[in-house]
Amino acid sequence: MPANGNHPLKLQFGLINHEGRYLTAENFGFKVNASAPSLKKKQIWTLEQDSQDVQVVYLRSHLGRYLASDKDGKVTCEAEGYMSDCRYLIVAQSDGRWALQSEQHLRFFGGSRDYLSCFAQVITDAELWAVHLALHPQANLLSVARKRYAHLSMEDGEIALDVNIPWGVAALLTLVYLDGKYCLKTCDGRFLNNDGKLLAQSGRTTAYTLELKCGKLAFKDCEGKYLSPMGPTGTLRSGRCSKPGKDELFDLEESHPQVVLIAANGRYVSIRQGVSLAANQEDETDMETFQMEIDKETRKCTFRTSQGNYWALVAHGGIQITASEVTANTMFSVEWLGHKVALKANNGKYICTKKNGQLLAVSDSTGQDEQLTLKLINRPMLILRGENGFICHHRNSNTLDASRSIYDIFTLQFSNGAYHIKGVDGRFWYVNSAGLVCSDGESPEDFSLELLEHGRLAIRGKNGKYLRGDQGGTLKGDGLGLSSSCLWEY
């Protein structure tokens, strides 16, 4: 496993038929159809590979049931486990679309609307499916061959694959889906051209078809060649290969939040002085940046350095960066206190900043010295996805939709413990008197972010209430308590 310690993201996607409709698993009767015009929860499928035969895949619906087809071509989606009728082979076409072949019966899956079957003996347009990734579009990219991560190299004007840990905002890539193809967008808003240059505008030569091989991704350009890392720094551009080998394969990994912490003395928490944590620096570098990794079960958090070590509680309440593995003493509880946070160590004590800047877990309660300002640094471009879809500007008003299949990219600006959220038109989010979140503010309004779960955050307005998606799909700022409608993938 690479030094980041992440697992590749499970591939989730929508499948679009020849009529531009998505394969849908209905909630009732485990029925499937291809009627939906957009990608929402019921259109998301998870690809699972067979452990023995990597060519064989299973398609799991949002209900946790598996797509299956019998000898007569009848398609169902109610199998609770891997059955022989659930085994499919992906037959990738030159345009990137997939044909799905039943391994058991050797017939192809296709059709339209309610008339889906797996009985075709040859592949026609009706048996071809375009693949729309349903992952959160911001991720880290790992070269399978080099075991190195991609990052924007500003001085060379390229994406290089030469770092062991994806650190800082430069390692964040956004996958932009456009007409069945994908563009790779850097954190400064430029697009990767197939010659390795970064362009301000997307076009034919910045669009790639996604292909899947052994559970890994390959990016095919408009000339039929594949992206791969080239030369000593691993410059990402199209090579000469028209078939993907190991050099052309990549994993997408979740991008963990990276933060800097400012103590009550106004100084940054740092590891510059050695193994002990202290708040004694006036500028932000990699030495003051920490990766927050939130445990899915306990929701406690580890803080990781750019060298890959963890904060750890040691004797007498000291906090040192000596741990290379996650243990109980590397886990911290985060308490969100408006625009500040408090961190509780495994000894049940809060971390306190001493007069000399040293950090010690010795306090029983939270006063000023136990409070830290936490600043998220690797999401200057914010894409938010809730339980029903992405947040996007409403077409005809100043409100925001929270259930769209397409997303808008918002700008996140830090302001003294709070955040301002800005739309593409340069105007700001605010909560109006009716509790609606609006996006046409002339001046910024403070919001606070709470990184509560693995991969999900909550946003509070200045009224202290959480932002939530309501039943009608509108974003409101009136959430009194934390529910699933208040949590956003980011």
Side-chain angles (χ1 to χ4, degrees), residues 280-321:
N280 59 7
Q281 298 299 322
E282 292 187 359
D283 51 352
E284 291 174 37
T285 70
D286 283 354
M287 298 282 197
E288 289 72 46
T289 306
F290 304 100
Q291 180 161 291
M292 280 178 78
E293 298 175 13
I294 300 170
D295 185 73
K296 283 181 176 159
E297 308 303 317
T298 63
R299 297 190 188 170
K300 287 186 175 180
C301 180
T302 58
F303 291 90
R304 202 163 185 211
T305 71
S306 58
Q307 278 81 46
N309 289 338
Y310 295 96
W311 291 16
L313 175 69
V314 294
H316 312 300
I319 309 289
Q320 295 188 346
I321 50 151

Side-chain angles (χ1 to χ4, degrees), residues 420-435:
H420 302 150
I421 305 172
K422 198 160 72 168
V424 269
D425 56 1
R427 291 167 182 254
F428 293 94
W429 286 19
Y430 62 96
V431 181
N432 73 8
S433 54

Side-chain angles (χ1 to χ4, degrees), residues 114 141 163 179 204 477 485:
D114 289 329
L141 188 70
V163 291
D179 302 326
R204 181 174 166 267
S485 63

Side-chain angles (χ1 to χ4, degrees), residues 15 17 171 218 270 370 426:
L15 289 170
N17 75 354
S270 179
E370 288 73 32

Side-chain angles (χ1 to χ4, degrees), residues 347-369:
N347 60 1
K349 306 281 187 184
Y350 289 99
I351 291 179
C352 164
T353 308
K354 293 296 180 189
K355 292 278 181 284
N356 62 358
Q358 194 180 1
L359 265 56
L360 295 173
V362 292
S363 298
D364 291 316
S365 59
T366 57
Q368 198 179 347
D369 291 339

